[in-house]
Amino acid sequence: QTTIITTIDVGHGTCHVIQNNDHAILIDCGSRNNFDVGNNTIKPILRKLRITKIDTIIITHSDIDHISGIIDIANTYKIKKVIIAPQTIANKTKPMQKLLKHIIAMGIKIKITSAGWQENTKNTTIKIISPSKLDPHRSPNATSIVLLLSTHGRRVLFTGDIDEQKINEISKKIQDDVHVIELPHHGQWSQESQNFINKYTPHAVIQSTNLARHSKDRWLIPSNTNRFTTAVDGTITTTIKQDGTLSIVGSAHPATMPICLLPP
């Protein structure tokens, strides 16, 4: 019944794989500096994870570093459905147009949805908390899908590339503890992002990016928060067991985060 989240080292880009029992969800699948990322990076890891089918792919937004590998994945794996926000559909980029044409031709179900959507399995719930259906399309980043995963008493927040205004909005929406946070926009620093992390002081933050972005960091990570960066730590594996124990390990620097226990 363990939930495993694999944050694949795709360079500057994003691909999270969530597994629980035989249920598999992908959040994004792309890279800015590796357009063949689906074939040469993501598919080998999916095989290693023994994934044979994908229940859901959630596309947070239309930037190439979030979608460039999806066609290659769709050509190999059976995919039940793809989740996309209405703002992304209404303001399609050329890469997104090509991707949608390919998905439709393959007969893959596309679900256009926003805040309020959720998917439940026996041990997990993943739900969209942003954007709402009526949010204006200021930019692809601003209307990135933001997801909250709840599993075994733990909460993991996936923030996509949300901008500073949206960071403040999300901060007002989430009142509960968040135990793991994907740093917004691949860890690009802003005062709003820093305030966000300071507010929740999660057990861990994860940054999926390359060394160029990582070298520009100005983060002051809270003392009780562990930080994992794909540029340094490689592919990152977050494990959440039935009793709520949480551990994180990087493939390049396999120093596992001390096990976190829920309070009694």
Side-chain angles (χ1 to χ4, degrees):
Q1 305 299 315
T2 297
T3 299
I4 299 173
I5 304 165
T6 305
T7 301
I8 300 177
D9 180 10
V10 292
H12 186 91
T14 301
C15 185
H16 303 286
V17 184
I18 302 171
Q19 294 173 274
N20 186 273
N21 294 325
D22 62 347
H23 195 82
I25 297 173
L26 262 63
I27 302 174
D28 290 333
C29 185
S31 175
R32 179 189 295 173
N33 51 295
N34 178 8
F35 288 163
D36 199 31
V37 68
N39 283 325
N40 64 25
T41 303
I42 297 173
K43 289 201 296 190
I45 290 182
L46 295 181
R47 287 193 293 268
K48 185 177 180 181
L49 296 174
R50 299 182 180 180
I51 290 175
T52 57
K53 63 180 177 62
I54 298 168
D55 294 275
T56 306
I57 293 182
I58 302 170
I59 298 175
T60 61
H61 63 296
S62 59
D63 286 353
I64 196 71
D65 55 335
H66 292 255
I67 66 172
S68 61
I70 294 178
I71 289 178
D72 289 333
I73 299 303
N75 288 339
T76 303
Y77 289 89
K78 180 180 179 181
I79 300 168
K80 288 186 178 180
K81 64 182 177 299
V82 173
I83 301 295
I84 308 177
Q87 291 86 350
T88 300
I89 291 292
N91 301 273
K92 294 185 288 291
T93 59
K94 287 185 177 180
M96 179 59 74
Q97 291 174 3
K98 179 179 179 181
L99 172 59
L100 290 174
K101 183 178 179 180
H102 191 86
I103 290 173
I104 291 169
M106 296 188 72
I108 298 171
K109 179 181 179 182
I110 297 175
K111 187 172 180 62
I112 302 170
T113 189
S114 52
W117 173 89
Q118 68 179 41
E119 183 163 303
N120 302 307
T121 64
K122 184 177 180 181
N123 305 291
T124 66
T125 297
I126 186 165
K127 61 183 179 181
I128 296 176
I129 61 175
S130 181
S132 70
K133 186 177 181 179
L134 300 178
D135 275 357
H137 182 79
R138 298 193 308 274
S139 69
N141 286 355
T143 52
S144 292
I145 287 180
V146 179
L147 297 150
L148 184 64
L149 173 71
S150 300
T151 180
H152 303 309
R154 296 291 191 177
R155 283 172 291 279
V156 182
L157 185 68
F158 302 94
T159 60
D161 281 1
I162 54 174
D163 63 7
E164 288 78 9
Q165 179 178 329
K166 184 59 69 171
I167 289 168
N168 288 336
E169 292 175 15
I170 296 298
S171 182
K172 295 175 183 177
K173 286 183 179 181
I174 302 176
Q175 302 302 320
D176 296 327
D177 291 339
V178 181
H179 303 97
V180 180
I181 295 177
E182 175 196 31
L183 293 176
H185 202 188
H186 309 280
Q188 178 174 304
W189 188 91
S190 69
Q191 189 60 58
E192 291 82 359
S193 294
Q194 183 70 66
N195 295 342
F196 190 71
I197 299 303
N198 292 345
K199 174 182 176 179
Y200 291 105
T201 57
H203 292 305
V205 294
I206 290 173
Q207 179 182 355
S208 180
T209 193
N210 57 14
L211 283 171
R213 168 61 62 84
H214 182 54
S215 67
K216 299 175 183 177
D217 283 355
R218 295 166 51 193
W219 291 94
L220 295 173
I221 302 299
S223 59
N224 292 329
T225 298
N226 293 275
R227 181 185 184 192
F228 296 85
T229 304
T230 55
V232 175
D233 300 302
T235 291
I236 299 162
T237 302
T238 302
T239 303
I240 304 172
K241 296 184 178 180
Q242 272 187 292
D243 61 0
T245 58
L246 166 66
S247 62
I248 302 180
V249 62
S251 62
H253 294 86
T256 303
M257 183 180 75
I259 292 176
C260 299
L261 298 175
L262 288 173

